[in-house]
Amino acid sequence: MSILQNMEYNKILSSLTIGATLASPMMADNINYELSRLSYKAPYDKSINYSSYKQSTFDDSLLKNDIEMIKLLELSNIINTIENRYDTKVIHTWIPAEGSLDKVCLFVSVQDQNDIKLKYEDFELDLFLTLEKDLKQSQLFNMIALM
Amino acid sequence: MNQKHLDLAKQFNAFAFELVSKEETAKKNLESLENDILFRRVIFNKYYYALYHKYLANDDDLSKKTGSSKHEAIKQKIESCGDRKLLQVYSKLLNLRIWADYHTDNNPMALSIGLQEINSDVWSIIKRSSINC
């Protein structure tokens, strides 16, 4: 494995670890489970020959097509942003149209949601504006909404 | 302004609102609506179509087209017009409607969706004199 590949792999693992640590207990459990599952799925420093790939693992590697991995990363980032911005915890997530649209709406509920709502004229819209840039760059999500 | 679409938008909105505001009575009188998840599916569907027809009432070109591509076309037009609140409400209901009509999982998260908030958001759009997209 090249140095560049190593760096990107480590970057992904760091993001996931940070995300899982900061996420709500329920999400953290889910993410840890998924990570453990994926680690069995991709023992890629042993069985995958990268010689035919470009230097970056983001260009052509199996990771790019691994929707579950991308979903975990993006969920972690979104959850971290919400928790840091509003000083709360994301307690539930739901993706009702998962698998039916190219990009989907992520529904979240947060701790003390009703109290936070009182602080904003439109908390749900504020959430969208806060994450608008991330959602534009997202491969899976194009909207955020409250449950 | 296409009056037929506008009327339908108001009717769907009124129907969904009546179910939300008289949930207990509706469930008592209609055995089929006793199922909480089914109740939500019906409401998400009707609120979505209220918005769908409200948009079409303002877009003659799109309203004349046929086929299912209108849903995505509406979303793209709303995206490009920059009305973020409208985009949020439409996208939210589009996703809920897809779950309601096509997904067989009875995810309990559906019961956590705030119906009063949806009602208030949809009504704020239905009562607009026009949609500038």
Side-chain angles (χ1 to χ4, degrees):
Chain A
M1 190 183 288
S2 75
I3 292 171
L4 262 177
Q5 284 166 350
N6 256 326
M7 283 169 65
E8 288 192 356
Y9 177 50
N10 290 335
K11 198 173 156 191
I12 288 169
L13 286 183
S14 302
S15 305
L16 285 169
T17 309
I18 292 165
T21 307
L22 293 177
S24 65
M26 181 189 151
M27 287 303 300
D29 286 349
N30 287 345
I31 288 170
N32 284 334
Y33 168 76
E34 289 299 329
L35 279 175
S36 139
R37 198 171 61 84
L38 286 164
S39 70
Y40 288 108
K41 196 173 168 186
Y44 60 81
D45 58 347
K46 289 181 181 172
S47 60
I48 296 174
N49 178 6
Y50 280 102
S51 58
S52 62
Y53 289 87
K54 293 175 190 171
Q55 282 290 312
S56 170
T57 54
F58 279 110
D59 287 342
D60 291 307
S61 76
L62 295 177
L63 284 178
K64 188 173 180 179
N65 293 323
D66 196 328
I67 301 295
E68 284 304 309
M69 177 70 90
I70 293 169
K71 188 167 94 178
L72 286 172
L73 272 171
E74 293 199 354
L75 274 175
S76 285
N77 287 336
I78 290 171
I79 289 169
N80 284 342
T81 304
I82 294 171
E83 293 185 346
N84 291 334
R85 165 83 169 86
Y86 300 102
D87 191 22
T88 185
K89 290 279 173 199
V90 172
I91 49 177
H92 292 298
T93 59
W94 186 35
I95 311 169
E98 187 172 20
S100 294
L101 294 168
D102 287 343
K103 288 188 179 180
V104 291
C105 178
L106 172 66
F107 287 76
V108 297
S109 65
V110 299
Q111 240 169 30
D112 303 320
Q113 189 163 305
N114 289 335
D115 293 338
I116 298 174
K117 273 184 185 173
L118 295 174
K119 294 179 190 168
Y120 295 87
E121 194 179 331
D122 188 335
F123 175 43
E124 193 174 48
L125 184 61
D126 195 86
L127 202 56
F128 174 35
L129 297 178
T130 297
L131 289 159
E132 195 172 17
K133 209 172 163 184
D134 298 295
L135 293 170
K136 272 183 186 159
Q137 291 171 348
S138 169
Q139 294 185 58
L140 301 176
F141 305 110
N142 61 3
M143 183 52 68
I144 180 106
L146 287 173
M147 285 196 267
Chain B
M1 180 77 73
N2 184 315
Q3 194 59 42
K4 283 182 181 175
H5 279 298
L6 195 58
D7 289 344
L8 208 45
K10 287 178 180 171
Q11 285 166 17
F12 281 146
N13 180 62
F15 179 71
F17 175 66
E18 204 165 358
L19 282 181
V20 171
S21 56
K22 297 173 185 169
E23 182 173 348
E24 212 173 301
T25 315
K27 283 178 176 174
K28 207 190 290 176
N29 293 336
L30 291 169
E31 214 172 291
S32 56
L33 287 180
E34 275 178 6
N35 179 321
D36 285 335
I37 298 276
L38 179 69
F39 185 79
R40 294 289 173 126
R41 288 183 193 271
V42 172
I43 289 168
F44 296 154
N45 175 295
K46 293 306 163 209
Y47 273 132
Y48 170 74
Y49 276 104
L51 278 186
Y52 173 87
H53 286 288
K54 172 66 182 181
Y55 181 85
L56 290 180
N58 287 267
D59 191 326
D60 286 341
D61 292 339
L62 209 50
S63 71
K64 285 172 193 158
K65 288 186 180 168
T66 54
S68 60
S69 61
K70 273 196 277 194
H71 299 278
E72 190 53 34
I74 291 174
K75 190 166 158 290
Q76 282 172 6
K77 285 204 170 186
I78 295 173
E79 265 168 1
S80 60
C81 83
D83 185 334
R84 290 185 176 100
K85 189 60 196 175
L86 177 60
L87 176 62
Q88 187 174 46
V89 180
Y90 187 83
S91 297
K92 179 177 173 172
L93 280 164
L94 172 69
N95 280 254
L96 289 173
R97 201 283 295 190
I98 285 171
W99 170 81
D101 287 352
Y102 302 119
H103 288 214
T104 52
D105 66 287
N106 283 331
N107 196 311
M109 290 294 170
L111 303 174
S112 307
I113 300 289
L115 296 181
Q116 296 295 343
E117 286 83 355
I118 289 181
N119 175 68
S120 151
D121 285 341
V122 173
W123 177 237
S124 73
I125 293 163
I126 298 287
K127 71 182 182 187
R128 288 185 190 180
S129 57
S130 64
I131 288 177
N132 300 315
C133 284

